[in-house]
Amino acid sequence: MTATPRNVASLASPDGGGGSWRDRLKGPAVFTLVAVVALVVAPMLLEPFRLGLLAKYLCFGIVALGIGLAWGQGGMLTLGQGVFFGLGGYAMGMYLKLHDAGGDLPDFMVWSGVEKLPALWAPFGNPLFAIAFAVAGPAILAFLLGMLVFRQRVRGAYFAILTQALAAATVILLVGQQGLTGGTNGLTNFFDLFGQDLAADQTQRGLYLVVAAVLGLLYLLAWQLVRSRFGRLLVAIRDGEDRVRFLGYNPATVKTITFAVSAGMAGLAGALFVPVVGIISPALLGVVPSLELVVAVAVGGRFSLAGAVLGAVLMGYAKTAFSEQFADGWLYLQGALFILVISLAPKGVFGLAAAARDQLAARMPRRTPRTTGPVAPGGQSEDRSAPLIEVPEPRA
């Protein structure tokens, strides 16, 4: 005998299985809102000094974005990101010093007894070379280091210690080359940038807009990278590197590329930092600054790119606020803030916000589908809001 056909409602979501249109628009809407606040509202409301501080925090946010990509997505705990930040900063600082000198020796070289411009400095008189080196130099160094380290399957704490040692060695090298790098004082006293007075409020406002725009662009690129096939492979390596290797992929190549990209971001941040703050010195790229950046990413949430950037901005603001109010004990307050956040929210501020959102969603009453159609044979009602698919029963 032949059974009558039965009606089966489609289980696909209204948008074809990709979530509702509200969910798909939520991310771009939040990004647009943040961009408007950063590019329009902040320059209108903040005075030049505070706007310069915010530009400084955003520079650290670019470095944190690279750390979030390498550590949060790839599981590579890098404690020497200050090295790449410093390379980019020194590249821009060398150009600014040569530009201010107008063909003469920079002031610190005269004080150090240098009589001829070192050959290492000569190419940095070209701004295009300086900017290109600020990005490519750190990326190439990280790529070479990654090729040597990741092929030997060095990871975890060993990789972290290696990058930390690199930061300590770089500081010692820079301090020892007084006539070449400025020694402990580093490079400072910059006056002009592409014909604009660096001390002018309008120049600093323009620099802030450039930093904010660069951060937004890099965030979009990193966001797209994480959601690509390469990004999914990177997360798989973080969660199970040996399993990925057994599947036929080469984790060393993926980790090396990611490490190089994060280093290039740090170098670009250093190049932007120098005209904003007006100094680059070994104290800004040693072990302690590198650790502070990692702590900032952990506070914001290392598994989220937005959380990494938010953590850098929050920690920078907290450092400034604590130092202004409590000059003698702000380091203790900063450490207490870190301990409090990590203890209460191991996944950072973004993880805490996600947990609160999930709890709120769980307490909300769920909507049940409306049954407006007639009752079908067998006592089941038809839902006319969903398309019907005719599925014939097998013939007996």
Side-chain angles (χ1 to χ4, degrees), residues 130-322:
I131 296 175
F133 183 87
V135 179
I140 293 174
L141 176 61
F143 184 84
L144 295 177
L145 181 63
M147 292 290 290
L148 295 175
V149 172
F150 295 132
R151 286 193 174 186
Q152 301 299 323
R153 301 185 184 180
V154 177
R155 55 188 176 182
Y158 300 100
F159 175 74
I161 293 174
L162 179 63
T163 55
Q164 190 177 39
L166 177 63
T170 303
V171 170
I172 295 174
L173 178 64
L174 293 175
V175 171
Q177 301 296 322
Q178 174 69 35
L180 190 63
T181 64
T184 306
N185 296 326
L187 305 179
T188 185
N189 295 329
F190 308 119
F191 303 104
D192 184 87
L193 176 65
F194 304 133
Q196 302 295 323
D197 183 12
L198 275 176
D201 294 342
Q202 191 65 25
T203 304
Q204 290 297 317
R205 190 178 302 273
L207 285 172
Y208 166 79
L209 293 176
V210 170
V211 172
V214 169
L215 175 57
L217 179 60
L218 291 179
Y219 177 82
L220 290 178
L221 293 176
W223 181 83
Q224 185 63 35
L225 179 64
V226 168
R227 280 154 180 78
S228 65
R229 182 179 180 182
F230 181 90
R232 293 194 295 270
L233 182 60
L234 182 64
V235 173
I237 292 174
R238 178 197 67 189
D239 296 336
E241 182 173 341
D242 293 332
R243 293 182 180 180
V244 174
R245 184 179 293 108
F246 293 152
L247 291 174
Y249 294 96
N250 187 0
T253 302
V254 178
K255 295 171 70 174
T256 299
I257 294 175
T258 306
F259 188 42
V261 170
S262 68
M265 289 183 179
L268 181 56
L272 295 172
F273 177 87
V274 170
V276 169
V277 180
I279 186 175
I280 183 68
S281 69
L284 295 170
L285 54 112
V287 175
V288 173
S290 299
L291 288 174
E292 288 181 348
L293 288 170
V294 173
V295 167
V297 173
V299 168
R302 69 184 181 98
F303 297 109
S304 169
L305 296 178
V309 176
L310 177 63
V313 175
L314 287 179
M315 290 299 290
Y317 174 78
K319 185 176 181 179
T320 301
F322 289 160

Side-chain angles (χ1 to χ4, degrees), residues 319-343:
K319 185 176 181 179
T320 301
F322 289 160
S323 62
E324 290 177 349
Q325 299 295 328
F326 309 98
D328 296 331
W330 65 270
L331 283 175
Y332 299 102
L333 294 174
Q334 187 181 21
L337 175 64
F338 169 68
I339 294 174
L340 182 64
V341 172
I342 297 302
S343 300

